[in-house]
């Protein structure tokens, strides 16, 4: 278990137990400790890959940042239980979002995840993570998907150019491009 996870659980359990001790909530210690156990199981590195990140859209970042995830497999996968995380550097100032509900990704298809606040999310975003990740760092950072201790995929990007997305190909090359994800039908230059 990573330190960030343990600290998060400790704070949650301590806070919940304190509330119980004060008589504000009953049974919170048991449910808080078990509520954060990953629902994902059996994921391996590369089962899905992050293919594009837009960390610095033109104008305001709020509600406009997104990332694209690709399923290279032959069967549909579901992101439920996986953790999406972002940080300035690996492990530093990490913010995370756990997929609590079903987010299917068809075989050899894409899903676009965004900080959209609208429900349902507006295209090209397929699933909104709201403000859980905070603003993606414009000066460079890391985004990834994790199942417990298994890093399914993680990408690092350099200083984002306003309005340009960073794309990764199989050779892990970074390619700036337009602000529309490929899943919306736009090809790379």
């Amino acid at each position: 278990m990573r330190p960030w996870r343990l600290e998060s659980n400790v704070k949650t359990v301590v806070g919940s137990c304190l509330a119980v001790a004060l008589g504000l909530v009953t049974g919170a210690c048991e449910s808080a400790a078990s509520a954060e156990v990953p629902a994902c199981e059996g994921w391996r590195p590369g089962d899905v890959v992050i293919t594009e990140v837009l960390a610095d859209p033109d104008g305001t970042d709020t509600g406009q940042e997104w990332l694209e995830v690709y399923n290279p497999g032959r069967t549909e996968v579901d992101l439920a239980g996986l953790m999406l995380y972002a940080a300035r550097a690996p492990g530093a100032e990490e913010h995370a979002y756990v997929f609590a509900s079903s987010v299917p990704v068809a075989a050899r298809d894409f899903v676009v995840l965004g900080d959209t606040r609208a429900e349902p999310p507006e295209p090209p975003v397929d699933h909104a993570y709201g403000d859980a990740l905070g603003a993606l760092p414009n000066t460079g950072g890391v985004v990834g998907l994790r199942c417990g201790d298994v890093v399914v995929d993680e990408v690092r990007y350099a200083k984002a150019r306003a309005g340009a997305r960073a794309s990764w190909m199989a050779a892990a090359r970074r390619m700036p491009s337009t602000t529309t994800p490929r899943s919306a039908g736009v090809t790379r230059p």
Side-chain angles (χ1 to χ4, degrees), residues 66-92:
W66 53 259
L67 58 107
E68 180 183 77
V69 175
Y70 177 68
N71 173 9
R74 295 180 184 195
T75 59
E76 180 177 283
V77 297
D78 195 321
L79 304 181
L82 285 181
M83 177 181 290
L84 173 65
Y85 60 93
R88 294 195 181 283

Side-chain angles (χ1 to χ4, degrees), residues 65-70 79 97 99 101-106 109-116 118-129 181-184:
E65 298 173 332
W66 53 259
L67 58 107
E68 180 183 77
V69 175
Y70 177 68
L79 304 181
Y97 171 80
F99 294 93
S101 60
S102 178
V103 181
V105 186
D109 203 2
F110 301 88
V111 65
V112 177
L113 312 171
D115 73 342
T116 304
E119 281 296 326
E122 297 174 9
V125 174
D126 300 306
H127 180 82
Y129 54 77
R182 275 189 310 170
S183 58

Side-chain angles (χ1 to χ4, degrees), residues 42-49 150-153:
W43 283 86
R44 298 177 319 232
D47 281 350
V48 293
V49 292
V150 176
V151 175
V152 178
D153 193 36

Side-chain angles (χ1 to χ4, degrees), residues 38-53:
C40 58
E41 195 172 314
W43 283 86
R44 298 177 319 232
D47 281 350
V48 293
V49 292
I50 298 168
T51 53
E52 299 184 41
V53 175

